[in-house]
């Protein structure tokens, strides 16, 4: 079977994939022994066709600390893909840094981020899906969820600032999920830090091994370009914001005089020494180690000048993973599996408050999604069909008839979906791993208009389903504790509760340090803890108990008094570390 598949496939398949494919076809044969020969051929053809589509796709996110150059790099990638024609076409998807409480900015942000949530384009026969992540730290939770829907990431570092706070947190999520990461060190046209120091900092702070695949010649005023270690080419820098090609000279042998002629004796000597050092210090680049999330290849460039972007894109296409499967409560689902399945990782409210419909973003994991076909909404055990599923090609939204694993599509929703919901062709499994992280700020929600308590109840429920904030319910009295990563969400919530649901609320600050999810092998001890600490216990959206610890000290006390209980800062215990 494997040999036959390898022979008949017109596309590139590695041996693991051939193995997966054969087992899927064998599984199909075993379950459908009575099928006619023609039915068998048709099904096999569909499986192969799906696999071809999967191999074409790359779904990833660009992540960075605000201002490192995410918008700029995204725009340049779209320019290469021909998805946009002019620079400046991608709106800066970030809230003005000074404005912390400008509702119009919040609204603008919501509008812009629908348009730029997914940017798809074709390049070298590949379908590239870039998922946008909000740069503002108050929307970090949204970014973490988006990371569950991608197969790899490009992390941008500003060469002058090195690793920044947001970079560290984003990288923690990638590490938890074992997401393959490529690092792009940006703004090499400006004065910045020594490249070796930057690499050391990446390894120390981000706790990932790195491997430079290109190397800068000078920096800022002395920046002459990069040597592409992967291709053995010299890419010469010329500041240019619009041209998308660079001067490339092939230099196989670093000892050749041509190198001295092109960049000068001293820089050539430094480059030779530095490259020798790199070969001595860093392991050979190994794609499998990168795919396992254990090593991050590093590139240098200047996004604004279109420099190093093409080589980044081409290396990315060569080494980054095709769409991967996902874990469910009933086992792992491979993308080649013929039955459609996918999960919702983001929900966006309509900008127009008169229409309460929302867009739910679905990442397709396996099989083929088709318009106007009934699918199973697993949590509700309900059949739903979608007449206007949308795809996003740069700034344009268009209705699609079919979509494949790795694709992200928008589904119009009138309130059926929650973040993390699974859609299938009929199966009843649910995808795992859209974790909730402990919020940083907690407030109790107070109703300011007793006549509108129903509206408030519905509003807060729907907003938390959308993932704007987390809701914890405390007893007695059904008290609602709202938890967020940043202050901005509270403003978004009160604004939206009032404008979309007609409910008025106030927030009373609660001095909690963290929300801790709990696991134990000793149920009796857990029950005893819940009774003893009842005023600090609440339930999350899935009815799990959480401990709202007021201080790190009180958490430590709980750990030592109740040693059989494990406390976690994330709801996904498999990926999240114990506190
Ligand atoms: P972000 O999405 O990560 O927040 O960053 P963004 O792309 O908006 O870039 C932040 C600033 O850094 C922008 O300048 C942008 O022009 C600049 N920048 C991006 N790449 C490079 C580069 O390679 N070299 C240099 N020198 N600058 C770069 P700004 O002044 O904040 O905005 P704008 O007025 O240029 O739009």
């Amino acid at each position: 079977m494997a040999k036959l598949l390898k022979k008949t496939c017109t596309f590139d398949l590695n041996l693991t994939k051939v193995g997966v494919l054969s087992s899927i076809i064998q599984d199909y044969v075993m379950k459908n022994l009575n099928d006619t020969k023609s039915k068998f051929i048709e099904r096999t053809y569909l499986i192969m066709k799906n696999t071809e589509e999967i191999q074409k796709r790359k779904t990833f996110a660009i992540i960075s600390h605000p201002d490192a150059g995410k918008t700029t790099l995204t725009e340049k990638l779209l320019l290469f893909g021909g998805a946009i024609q002019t620079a400046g076409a991608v709106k800066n998807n970030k809230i003005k840094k000074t404005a912390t409480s400008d509702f119009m900015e919040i609204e603008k942000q919501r509008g812009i981020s629908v348009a730029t949530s997914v940017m798809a384009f074709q390049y070298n026969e590949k379908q590239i899906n870039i998922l946008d992540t909000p740069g503002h730290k108050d929307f970090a939770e949204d970014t973490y969820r988006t990371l569950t829907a991608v197969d790899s990431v490009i992390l941008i570092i500003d060469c002058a600032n090195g690793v920044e706070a947001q970079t560290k947190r984003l990288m923690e999520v990638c590490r938890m999920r074992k997401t393959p990461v490529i690092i792009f060190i940006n703004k090499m046209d400006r004065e910045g830090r020594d490249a070796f120091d930057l690499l050391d900092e990446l390894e120390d702070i981000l706790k990932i091994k790195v491997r430079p695949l290109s190397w800068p010649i000078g920096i800022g005023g002395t920046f002459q370009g990069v040597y592409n270690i992967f291709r053995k080419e010299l890419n010469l820098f010329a500041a240019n914001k619009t041209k998308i090609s660079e001067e490339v000279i092939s230099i196989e042998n670093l000892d050749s005089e041509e190198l001295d002629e092109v960049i000068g004796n001293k820089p050539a000597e430094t480059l030779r020494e530095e490259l020798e050092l790199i070969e001595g210090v860093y392991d050979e680049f190994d794609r499998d180690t990168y795919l396992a999330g254990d090593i991050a290849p590093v590139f240098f460039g200047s996004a604004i000048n279109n420099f190093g972007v093409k080589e980044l894109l081409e290396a990315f296409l060569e080494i980054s993973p095709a769409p991967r499967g996902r874990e469910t409560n009933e086992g792992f689902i491979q993308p080649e599996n013929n039955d459609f399945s996918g999960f919702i990782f983001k929900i966006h409210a309509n900008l127009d408050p008169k229409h309460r419909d929302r867009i739910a973003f679905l990442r397709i994991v396996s099989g083929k999604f088709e318009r106007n076909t009934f699918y199973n909404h697993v949590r509700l055990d309900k059949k739903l069909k979608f007449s206007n599923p949308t795809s996003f090609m740069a700034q344009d939204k268009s209705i699609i008839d079919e979509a494949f694993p790795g694709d992200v599509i928008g589904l119009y929703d009138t309130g059926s979906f929650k973040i993390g919901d699974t859609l299938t062709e009929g199966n009843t499994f649910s995808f795992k791993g859209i974790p909730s992280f402990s919020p940083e700020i907690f407030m109790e929600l107070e109703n300011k208009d007793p006549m509108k308590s129903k509206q408030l109840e519905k509003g807060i429920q729907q907003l938390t389903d959308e993932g704007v904030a987390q809701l914890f319910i405390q007893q007695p009295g059904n008290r609602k504790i709202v938890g967020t990563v940043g202050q901005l969400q509270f403003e978004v919530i009160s604004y939206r509760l009032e404008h979309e649901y007609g409910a008025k609320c106030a927030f009373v600050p609660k001095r909690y340090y963290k929300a801790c999810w709990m696991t134990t092998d000793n149920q009796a001890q857990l029950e005893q803890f819940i009774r003893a600490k009842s005023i600090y216990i609440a339930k999350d959206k899935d009815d799990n108990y959480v401990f709202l610890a007021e201080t790190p000290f009180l958490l430590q006390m709980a750990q030592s008094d109740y040693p059989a209980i494990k406390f976690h800062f994330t709801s996904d215990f498999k990926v999240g570390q114990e506190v």
Side-chain angles (χ1 to χ4, degrees):
M1 172 81 74
K3 259 193 201 152
L4 179 80
L5 277 174
K6 188 80 189 150
K7 232 175 166 178
T8 46
C9 290
T10 52
F11 45 95
D12 183 33
L13 277 182
N14 63 31
L15 280 176
T16 337
K17 282 289 165 206
V18 171
V20 170
L21 254 183
S22 345
S23 72
I24 287 172
I25 295 177
Q26 270 163 13
D27 185 50
Y28 160 74
V29 174
M30 294 311 289
K31 285 186 188 147
N32 301 276
L33 286 172
N34 295 331
D35 266 5
T36 57
K37 194 170 157 197
S38 63
K39 184 96 197 278
F40 170 74
I41 292 173
E42 186 194 318
R43 284 296 282 201
T44 310
Y45 172 76
L46 280 179
I47 294 172
M48 311 267 274
K49 171 93 182 70
N50 254 14
T51 309
E52 193 169 353
E53 292 292 340
I54 295 163
Q55 295 300 314
K56 269 191 204 159
R57 283 164 165 75
K58 301 276 185 189
T59 303
F60 73 107
I62 302 177
I63 54 176
S64 73
H65 189 87
D67 263 0
K70 184 166 72 71
T71 314
T72 313
L73 181 68
T74 307
E75 185 171 278
K76 302 298 174 181
L77 292 176
L78 295 178
L79 273 172
F80 279 111
I84 54 170
Q85 264 63 49
T86 50
V90 178
K91 302 262 175 11
N92 229 347
N93 179 13
K94 55 188 176 189
I95 294 175
K96 253 196 300 177
K97 273 147 250 160
T98 48
T100 48
S101 61
D102 184 339
F103 295 127
M104 281 324 288
E105 283 299 326
I106 296 170
E107 288 301 283
K108 258 195 255 162
Q109 158 89 21
R110 286 173 50 208
I112 293 164
S113 53
V114 166
T116 60
S117 280
V118 190
M119 286 160 281
F121 65 94
Q122 308 266 335
Y123 185 79
N124 281 359
E125 294 176 8
K126 294 274 184 209
Q127 155 98 16
I128 298 167
N129 300 316
I130 308 181
L131 270 55
D132 190 38
T133 52
H136 198 289
K137 77 168 177 25
D138 286 9
F139 290 94
E141 181 100 14
D142 198 11
T143 300
Y144 301 154
R145 281 191 296 263
T146 300
L147 292 180
T148 64
V150 301
D151 302 299
S152 68
V153 306
I154 293 180
L155 170 65
I156 310 179
I157 303 281
D158 179 326
C159 72
N161 298 340
V163 175
E164 296 172 87
Q166 207 41 13
T167 330
K168 207 175 140 197
R169 296 178 62 175
L170 290 165
M171 189 58 214
E172 269 164 28
V173 180
C174 294
R175 241 195 349 262
M176 260 164 64
R177 306 188 55 80
K178 292 260 167 209
T179 310
V181 177
I182 294 180
I183 298 174
F184 182 70
I185 299 189
N186 190 27
K187 306 196 186 180
M188 292 303 290
D189 59 314
R190 278 205 194 151
E191 294 309 323
R193 311 242 306 266
D194 173 72
F196 281 111
D197 288 350
L198 281 170
L199 294 184
D200 285 349
E201 186 173 294
L202 289 171
E203 291 204 327
D204 286 351
I205 305 184
L206 299 184
K207 297 188 177 63
I208 184 158
K209 284 179 88 174
V210 297
R211 177 39 157 123
L213 289 186
S214 79
W215 194 250
I217 303 158
I219 190 164
T222 61
F223 184 57
Q224 295 202 57
V226 295
Y227 182 73
N228 185 332
I229 303 173
F230 202 50
R231 295 227 161 88
K232 300 198 186 312
E233 283 170 357
L234 195 63
N235 295 29
L236 292 178
F237 174 69
N240 194 329
K241 299 188 181 182
T242 48
K243 223 172 77 182
I244 54 174
S245 61
E246 329 167 336
E247 195 181 336
V248 178
I249 301 171
S250 169
I251 297 197
E252 285 279 335
N253 179 4
L254 280 170
D255 290 331
S256 84
E257 279 179 15
E258 197 186 352
L259 187 66
D260 298 75
E261 281 161 23
V262 180
I263 60 172
N265 292 345
K266 197 147 190 316
E269 216 32 62
T270 312
L271 179 67
R272 286 183 190 110
E273 279 166 23
E274 291 183 341
L275 289 176
E276 203 180 312
L277 198 59
I278 289 168
E279 296 313 318
V281 172
Y282 296 98
D283 294 341
E284 269 293 292
F285 174 69
D286 171 46
R287 183 169 179 234
D288 288 338
T289 321
Y290 153 72
L291 290 177
D294 291 331
I295 198 163
V298 180
F299 292 85
F300 294 82
S302 167
I304 194 104
N305 289 298
N306 264 316
F307 186 76
V309 178
K310 186 161 181 270
E311 59 165 353
L312 171 75
L313 176 61
E314 284 174 358
F316 166 80
L317 290 181
E318 205 166 320
I319 63 174
S320 70
R324 294 172 149 187
R326 294 287 188 278
E327 199 65 58
T328 75
N329 57 345
E330 292 177 14
F332 194 81
I333 298 297
Q334 295 283 1
E336 291 80 9
N337 194 315
N338 230 17
D339 294 342
F340 158 77
S341 67
F343 63 90
I344 304 290
F345 65 95
K346 178 178 177 127
I347 296 178
H348 227 293
N350 196 317
L351 264 183
D352 181 353
K354 284 190 221 94
H355 300 278
R356 186 101 32 87
D357 61 343
R358 315 182 287 181
I359 299 180
F361 289 82
L362 176 87
R363 149 86 198 217
I364 296 164
V365 178
S366 68
K368 180 162 88 164
F369 173 93
E370 285 178 290
R371 186 156 85 99
N372 281 328
T373 304
F374 277 102
Y375 291 119
N376 185 27
H377 185 312
V378 176
R379 181 176 53 85
L380 301 181
D381 188 17
K382 194 171 153 187
K383 297 269 180 276
L384 295 177
K385 76 171 175 179
F386 305 91
S387 47
N388 299 314
T390 21
S391 74
F392 306 82
M393 289 299 278
Q395 292 123 314
D396 300 327
K397 282 194 286 178
S398 55
I399 293 178
I400 47 118
D401 289 318
E402 54 180 37
F404 295 90
D407 285 344
V408 169
I409 55 172
L411 303 175
Y412 285 94
D413 168 43
T414 46
S416 312
F417 287 120
K418 276 191 194 186
I419 302 272
D421 275 345
T422 299
L423 267 189
T424 67
E425 205 165 312
N427 293 298
T428 51
F429 58 70
S430 302
F431 285 104
K432 281 186 181 174
I434 303 252
S436 300
F437 293 86
S438 172
E440 313 266 311
I441 307 174
F442 298 85
M443 304 246 191
E444 184 168 345
L445 180 75
E446 252 187 29
N447 186 1
K448 281 286 168 202
D449 182 354
M451 305 296 287
K452 296 282 171 65
S453 52
K454 265 201 176 142
Q455 284 86 334
L456 185 80
E457 187 82 26
K458 183 170 177 197
I460 193 69
Q461 203 63 52
Q462 289 206 345
L463 293 185
T464 47
D465 284 354
E466 264 178 42
V468 177
Q470 288 181 55
L471 184 62
F472 301 99
I473 308 280
Q474 269 195 321
Q475 300 301 349
N478 251 348
R479 282 172 300 129
K480 294 181 178 57
I481 309 292
V482 177
T484 68
V485 188
Q487 195 65 40
L488 201 53
Q489 270 98 335
F490 290 105
E491 298 173 27
V492 176
I493 294 169
S494 26
Y495 179 83
R496 289 188 58 192
L497 281 175
E498 191 171 340
H499 289 82
E500 293 171 31
Y501 299 88
K504 277 206 161 77
C505 74
F507 286 109
V508 183
K510 296 297 245 181
R511 292 191 166 275
Y512 296 128
Y513 152 66
K514 291 274 179 193
C516 308
W517 284 265
M518 294 170 283
T519 50
T520 186
D521 292 332
N522 183 340
Q523 197 56 29
Q525 193 173 98
L526 181 64
E527 280 165 22
Q528 191 195 348
F529 177 75
I530 288 169
R531 270 196 308 277
K533 302 278 173 195
S534 63
I535 54 167
Y536 300 111
I537 298 292
K539 278 190 166 179
D540 75 355
K541 64 179 172 32
D542 300 317
D543 261 357
N544 295 313
Y545 281 112
V546 289
F547 170 49
L548 300 169
E550 278 188 315
T551 61
F553 175 71
L554 288 174
L555 174 59
Q556 265 174 27
M557 292 278 288
Q559 283 169 314
S560 65
D561 292 347
Y562 297 86
I565 303 177
K566 292 191 171 106
F567 296 88
H568 312 262
F569 289 159
T570 140
S571 65
D572 191 344
F573 315 124
K574 233 178 94 188
V575 293
Q577 293 147 349
E578 192 185 331
V579 179

